[in-house]
Amino acid sequence: MKKKPLSEDEKFMKEALKEAMKAYKLGEVPIGCVIVREGKIIGRGYNRRNTDKNTLNHAELSAIRKASKVAGDWRLEDCVIYVTLEPCQMCSGAIVQARFPKCVIGCMNPKAGCAGSILNILNMPEFNHQVEVVKGVLENECSEMLTRFFKELRLRNKLEKELTNDSSESKL
C-alpha cells in the first residue's frame, strides 16, 4: 500500500518536530517552531527557557528573531509559522505583532494556549491584525512527544525524591 504524500503543512510540521526534539534532548519541554517563506524555512527555534534561564526563550520567539533577520524586517507578512504546541499569550502576541497571515499548530494547550484554548489572541477583532489558524497538523506526533516527556519527567522527579528520602533516612 502506497503512503499518501505529505501536505505542505505536514512537511513543515515535521521540521518543527525536529526542532522540538532538540529541546527534548536538552531536558526542555519539547516545543519546536519553523517559519516558512515561499516554501523555504527562514527561521527555526526550540524551547530553551531552562537551558538559557530566560523566560523569553520560547521556540516561536527564537524562530521569529531568526526569520526577521533573514527577511530584514520585523513584518513577516509573507510567512507562515509552524509550531508543535499552541502558542502562549506572549508568543501569540508576537505572532500578531509580526503580522503573520497564518499559524499552523500541531496540538492544543488547554492549560496555557492562546490560539483558542484559553484565549484566542490570534483572532481578536480588537487588534489591527488577525491570523488564520490551522489546528491539529500531525497532532498525534506532537502530543505524543509532550506526553512522553512529562511522563519521563514525573518518573525522574519521583526517583529523585525517593533517593533523597533514602539518603536522609540512612543518616538517622
Side-chain angles (χ1 to χ4, degrees):
M1 190 163 109
K2 223 177 178 182
K3 271 182 144 178
K4 78 175 179 119
L6 294 178
S7 70
E8 185 164 292
D9 285 349
E10 290 169 331
K11 173 183 153 188
F12 290 118
M13 188 59 73
K14 284 219 178 267
E15 292 298 316
L17 278 162
K18 288 178 187 175
E19 295 300 308
M21 184 53 76
K22 292 176 184 176
Y24 191 103
K25 288 177 179 175
L26 285 175
E28 296 274 2
V29 177
I31 303 167
C33 179
V34 297
I35 296 172
V36 176
R37 178 208 266 162
E38 296 173 359
K40 290 186 174 61
I41 295 172
I42 64 165
R44 294 175 176 271
Y46 56 94
N47 186 30
R48 292 183 53 96
R49 279 192 317 182
N50 292 324
T51 302
D52 296 340
K53 312 249 182 292
N54 188 326
T55 305
L56 304 176
N57 285 357
H58 287 212
E60 299 94 325
L61 297 185
S62 178
I64 289 169
R65 269 192 297 278
K66 291 170 186 171
S68 293
K69 192 171 186 176
V70 170
D73 198 350
W74 61 269
R75 290 177 205 84
L76 298 171
E77 298 165 318
D78 58 349
C79 299
V80 177
I81 187 166
Y82 293 83
V83 63
T84 57
L85 182 67
E86 179 184 9
C88 69
Q89 67 273 32
M90 176 176 66
C91 294
S92 292
I95 290 166
V96 171
Q97 288 293 316
R99 308 292 194 268
F100 282 98
K102 181 178 171 184
C103 176
V104 181
I105 299 167
C107 61
M108 299 303 280
N109 184 353
K111 293 183 179 179
C114 289
S117 288
I118 293 177
L119 292 173
N120 193 347
I121 291 172
L122 300 183
N123 283 301
M124 290 180 70
E126 296 85 354
F127 290 134
N128 63 341
H129 180 76
Q130 288 79 43
V131 181
E132 174 192 352
V133 176
V134 176
K135 302 173 186 175
V137 174
L138 299 183
E139 182 175 12
N140 290 340
E141 291 94 322
C142 294
S143 181
E144 197 282 325
M145 185 183 292
L146 285 158
T147 300
R148 188 173 71 231
F149 173 82
F150 284 111
K151 276 183 185 171
E152 290 171 4
L153 181 64
R154 282 190 293 276
L155 180 61
R156 216 172 19 253
N157 289 343
K158 182 181 174 190
L159 291 172
E160 285 174 10
K161 187 177 178 183
E162 288 172 3
L163 286 172
T164 304
N165 287 341
D166 287 348
S167 66
S168 299
E169 289 171 10
S170 67
K171 291 178 184 175
L172 295 176

